[in-house]
Amino acid sequence: MVHRVAVLDKDSCVSRKCGLECIKFCPVNKTGSDCIILGEDAKAVISEELCTGCGICIKKCPFEAITIVNLAEELIGDKIHQYGVNTFRLYRLPVPRTGGVIGLVGRNGVGKSTTLNILSGNLKPNLGKYERTPEWDEIIESFQGTELKQHFQKIALREMKISVKPQQVHLIQKAWSGDGLSLIKKFDEKGVAKELVKELNLDTCINKPVTDLSGGELQRLAVAVTASKDAELYLFDEPSSYNDVYQRLAVSKTIRGLAEAGKKVIVVEHDLTFLDYLSDYLYLLYGESGAYGILSVLQTARTGINILLDGYLPSENVRFRDSPVVFDTAAPVEEQLLEEHVIQYNEFSKNYPGFNLGVEAGGLRKGEVIGILGANALGKTTFMKIIAGVEKPDTGNVETPLTISYKPQYLSADFEGTVRELLSKVSGGRFESSAYESQIIRPLAVHKLYDKSIRELSGGELQKVAISASLSRNADIYALDEPSAFIDIEDRILLAKALQRFVRAQGRSAFIVDHDVQLVDIVSDRLIIFSGRPGVEGHTTPPLNKLDGMNRFLRELGITYRRDVDSGRPRVNKPGSKLDRHQKVVEQFYYMSNTSTEESED
Ligand code: ADP
Ligand code: ADP
Ligand code: MG
């Protein structure tokens, strides 16, 4: 017997604006039963016992407010939490353990924060009994025979010390008005404040009031505070946000250090390189965003990341994406691209007070994506603005008769109207063309947002709309500045594939600036590397083939990639591992041939 999960998006269900189609057309209702009724709050209530899963209400609802899924019966006993009737539910929990960092990954809305809240004791799991949350005895009993039993025994007795880095780091500014250092010192039970400040590159900002800190500085401060507490279990919710690649590596070192000191550590993260570098084990949370989430069995990081890219979970026979991310183990695809340069730029430079940017001449071909990698404040955005003609260089010139569509790094929700109205305006109606619709809109599921107003979108939704808007313009070159910010791991993979397909099929070109190195690796045909001193001077390479570009960039980062033996995928070596040390000696930071990686390290 299958079990029905019915979820109502309460914000979308507006019964005074529809003809109560879900209630009228439900075949079970027609037989005289109350499968769907109108609740006291004038929203639909669906009986999961009576529902046959026919799917008619889903199609009839004019607001797409209903989701119904069939789940295997065997999962019911694994239900950990349900917020209320016809709401999100979570199945299974990760087991905190020592001996390595555990990563937790999945789409937005599949229960990652819910999971951390339950493990930290902030949310008492109700085992699905939302009318009456069970007593601790019953909850503990339900984990009989698993290591979670002891965990919740300690939680119930308040005997477990847990340190949590919440997702929203801006909340620090509401709770604390002093400087960063005094905040760390307030929690620093291990006397490690000084080392953490150094390790997380907080020296220059630690004496400033926290209200003056940038997003990246706040994030690293939050990591420092979390790591300074003396706890048994450490939970980090998205510690990479707002940080550039170098800072992400610093954050990884701090987090790995906790695990190496024998602590239990769980990290929720969307950045693939960061996850690969950071975690020893992975849990995947899959399911349907907003409806339910199921935790996979524990995987090694290597298998977990392969599964993520593959889109298929063999242990539970679940496909969560239509197709895998395919890697070409052969040489980079340059030859397949048209040799024609669509844009040529001469050497140029730009000076702002206190900052100089120097750019080497280069060119861009039709059908290719050029990835741009480098730390913050080296002039990446400035480079793109000059190429786009938004800014003028001081020396040299970029004369281009070509049109460029630019998606800025910082998004603004200042638009009165819906997603459909915005797309229609920026694209001149072009957004309804079938190629664009099938190549961009559908893969990113932006059509589901058409009737939402721009102002009410979440960060991830706004990002996807901004990307779609910029690609909907008719342009020779698309320039995307940090498209991964706020979007989940699945959307990052889908975006990479969609962008590549779109640019090739339409014979256009694209620049993509991002700090998710694996995303850039997946999407790019060639690379431009920025180096220099942040905020002082930056210089660029011309577009390099991927091997040279990645080698150069990874050398600066001090990390190495190998080819996965099974899939041919580039993967980050664990820092200090045998392979890592060997590749550094022979200066092959990227793309070791398959034969030399036959000895897998995990
Ligand atoms: P993630 O961290 O993976 O993005 P969350 O755990 O934050 O996911 O949320 C999972 C789902 O649970 C979402 O659909 C969210 O709307 C829903 N949810 C979260 N908190 C509540 C709550 N207090 N009441 C009802 N639904 C909630
Ligand atoms: P990135 O995109 O690599 O983070 P940016 O191009 O945004 O770097 O900025 C590089 C440097 O130039 C920074 O130090 C920034 O403060 C400075 N800068 C950027 N735009 C301006 C401007 N319009 N006026 C003065 N300084 C600027
Ligand atoms: Mg979350």
Side-chain angles (χ1 to χ4, degrees), residues 217-396:
E217 290 166 341
L218 270 180
Q219 183 70 264
R220 282 173 283 134
L221 176 64
V223 169
V225 169
T226 310
S228 73
K229 295 185 200 169
D230 189 13
E232 178 177 344
L233 170 64
Y234 293 83
L235 302 171
F236 292 89
D237 200 346
E238 295 193 31
S240 79
S241 314
Y242 309 112
N243 280 316
D244 75 24
V245 270
Y246 290 86
Q247 295 156 351
R248 286 177 197 197
L249 283 186
V251 166
S252 311
K253 283 194 184 118
T254 301
I255 295 177
R256 286 197 64 81
L258 293 168
E260 279 154 18
K263 306 294 189 179
K264 299 173 185 168
V265 183
I266 298 182
V267 183
V268 167
E269 189 42 57
H270 294 303
D271 178 329
L272 282 164
T273 298
F274 187 58
L275 260 181
D276 204 353
Y277 185 82
L278 178 66
S279 54
D280 301 285
Y281 301 96
L282 275 185
Y283 284 106
L284 280 77
L285 252 178
Y286 61 96
E288 191 145 331
S289 180
Y292 71 100
I294 304 169
L295 193 79
S296 74
V297 297
L298 188 68
Q299 315 279 352
T300 62
R302 169 181 175 236
T303 317
I305 294 201
N306 278 353
I307 289 172
L308 261 175
L309 296 171
D310 231 9
Y312 176 71
L313 198 61
S315 54
E316 14 281 270
N317 189 21
V318 170
R319 176 158 288 295
F320 51 90
R321 191 178 333 106
D322 290 343
S323 57
V325 178
V326 180
F327 287 91
D328 210 340
T329 37
V333 288
E334 257 168 293
E335 314 80 64
Q336 297 164 13
L337 296 166
L338 295 175
E339 280 301 307
E340 182 191 358
H341 283 227
V342 274
I343 178 176
Q344 294 273 17
Y345 51 90
N346 299 321
E347 198 177 277
F348 67 84
S349 72
K350 177 82 188 169
N351 305 311
Y352 289 124
F355 180 78
N356 293 311
L357 170 66
V359 174
E360 280 187 51
L364 195 58
R365 302 184 182 110
K366 270 192 182 170
E368 81 173 341
V369 178
I370 294 201
I372 298 180
L373 288 169
N376 275 343
L378 290 177
K380 299 183 301 300
T381 302
T382 305
F383 168 79
M384 301 235 291
K385 282 186 178 159
I386 291 173
I387 295 285
V390 177
E391 288 270 359
K392 291 269 162 279
D394 291 318
T395 67

Side-chain angles (χ1 to χ4, degrees), residues 432-445:
E432 285 176 292
S433 91
S434 59
Y436 171 71
E437 164 116 67
S438 67
Q439 286 163 357
I440 302 295
I441 293 288
R442 295 272 156 184
L444 293 177

Side-chain angles (χ1 to χ4, degrees), residues 496-536:
K497 293 172 55 165
L499 180 63
Q500 203 168 48
R501 204 176 311 134
F502 179 74
V503 164
R504 287 199 183 146
Q506 311 275 323
R508 312 300 164 91
S509 318
F511 280 126
I512 175 168
V513 173
D514 211 278
H515 294 302
D516 183 330
V517 182
Q518 193 121 37
L519 169 75
V520 173
D521 187 24
I522 289 171
V523 74
S524 310
D525 299 299
R526 290 192 296 162
L527 295 169
I528 293 177
I529 310 299
F530 275 66
S531 41
R533 283 182 293 157
V536 182

Side-chain angles (χ1 to χ4, degrees), residues 171-190:
L171 297 179
I172 296 181
Q173 293 173 321
K174 295 213 169 84
W176 186 254
S177 53
D179 63 298
L181 191 61
S182 40
L183 181 66
I184 302 187
K185 287 199 163 148
K186 190 166 163 323
F187 294 97
D188 183 17
E189 297 162 339
K190 296 190 283 189

